[in-house]
Amino acid sequence: MPQFPPVEFLTSSWQPRQFPADQGAEVAFAGRSNAGKSSALNAITGRKDLARTSKTPGRTQLINFFALNEQQRLADLPGYGYAKVPEKMRDHWRQLMGRYVETRASLAGVVIVMDSRRPLTDFDWQMLEWTGAQHLPVHLLLTKADKLSRSESMATLKKVRTEVGEGVTAQLFSAVAKTGVDEARKEVLKMLNAEPSRAPDSVEG
């Protein structure tokens, strides 16, 4: 199993003006609150406690940044689609994530985490629209694949790949069974090491 470079917590941001310096390369993780995003991030980085996991979805209320080195970072975006969060909070998250995706010049790609039993929700499609408009590389992680039979999981993967079309990659993943961890690591590192494709934009808080 390939090793992921050491990763350390950098900062949390409630407003765009609190984002780290917009330089180098950054890969963001997005997904519904109960899709297993934190577990996926921990499994890929090889850190049990990098991202906070909780039995209460919606705990990630800020954008959390993690540094691999001075020029490479990961960003854990707030989990979306959690009904018990107040509408005002949901609006703030939506604006924060929209601003991040639309203006972050160092954003090299996005990993969208979705439950393989309930893939491509309305929120997932909204994220795909945001990233598509910015011509960002996107990799889909179909998590909790261990909850499906092999035939069910392969059928789901084929269906998702067909629906999203070319330009978006997808794979099966299970943090529990360690399914697809190597593949996911390679995709994240490939995004981080690719040539930047976007010009810096001004970000105001």
Side-chain angles (χ1 to χ4, degrees):
M1 182 180 292
Q3 293 294 309
F4 201 85
V7 184
E8 294 185 354
F9 174 76
L10 182 60
T11 188
S12 295
S13 301
W14 172 254
Q15 298 288 351
R17 64 174 177 269
Q18 298 170 331
F19 294 165
D22 197 359
Q23 60 189 23
E26 203 165 86
V27 169
F29 283 71
R32 282 182 64 88
S33 299
N34 56 353
K37 179 166 56 69
S38 295
S39 296
L41 190 52
N42 289 339
I44 290 169
T45 58
R47 291 277 302 274
K48 292 182 178 179
D49 57 352
L50 186 71
R52 179 189 292 178
T53 58
S54 171
K55 292 184 178 179
T56 304
R59 288 293 294 272
T60 306
Q61 299 184 6
L62 312 169
I63 296 182
N64 295 314
F65 293 89
F66 305 93
L68 283 71
N69 51 55
E70 290 186 358
Q71 293 296 316
Q72 294 181 322
R73 296 169 302 279
L74 303 178
D76 185 10
L77 305 185
Y80 48 77
Y82 189 49
K84 292 185 179 179
V85 173
E87 184 64 31
K88 187 176 181 180
M89 178 71 77
R90 287 207 300 272
D91 287 342
H92 172 77
W93 289 354
R94 203 174 294 122
Q95 292 173 17
L96 180 66
M97 287 197 289
R99 194 67 181 280
Y100 172 80
V101 171
E102 291 166 7
T103 66
R104 192 75 173 160
S106 56
L107 184 56
V110 178
V111 176
I112 301 180
V113 180
M114 54 186 73
D115 191 326
S116 59
R117 299 167 297 179
R118 293 178 290 276
L120 295 175
T121 66
D122 291 344
F123 295 101
D124 296 325
W125 280 115
Q126 181 178 20
M127 183 59 66
L128 283 165
E129 287 179 11
W130 272 343
T131 53
Q134 302 302 317
H135 307 290
L136 287 164
V138 174
H139 186 63
L140 306 184
L141 281 191
L142 304 180
T143 62
K144 307 182 184 181
D146 56 295
K147 305 287 188 183
L148 300 175
S149 68
R150 178 167 176 76
S151 60
E152 288 173 333
S153 60
M154 294 306 294
T156 298
L157 179 60
K158 182 179 179 180
K159 184 174 183 291
V160 167
R161 283 175 171 167
T162 299
E163 291 192 26
V164 298
E166 296 182 7
V168 177
T169 55
Q171 68 163 102
L172 295 168
F173 187 90
S174 169
V176 174
K178 298 294 186 282
T179 304
V181 173
D182 288 3
E183 182 182 350
R185 283 178 179 169
K186 289 176 183 176
E187 289 293 334
V188 171
L189 291 173
K190 184 169 74 173
M191 290 176 179
L192 285 172
N193 292 309
E195 288 295 321
S197 59
R198 303 209 294 172
D201 197 352
S202 61
V203 178
E204 301 174 357

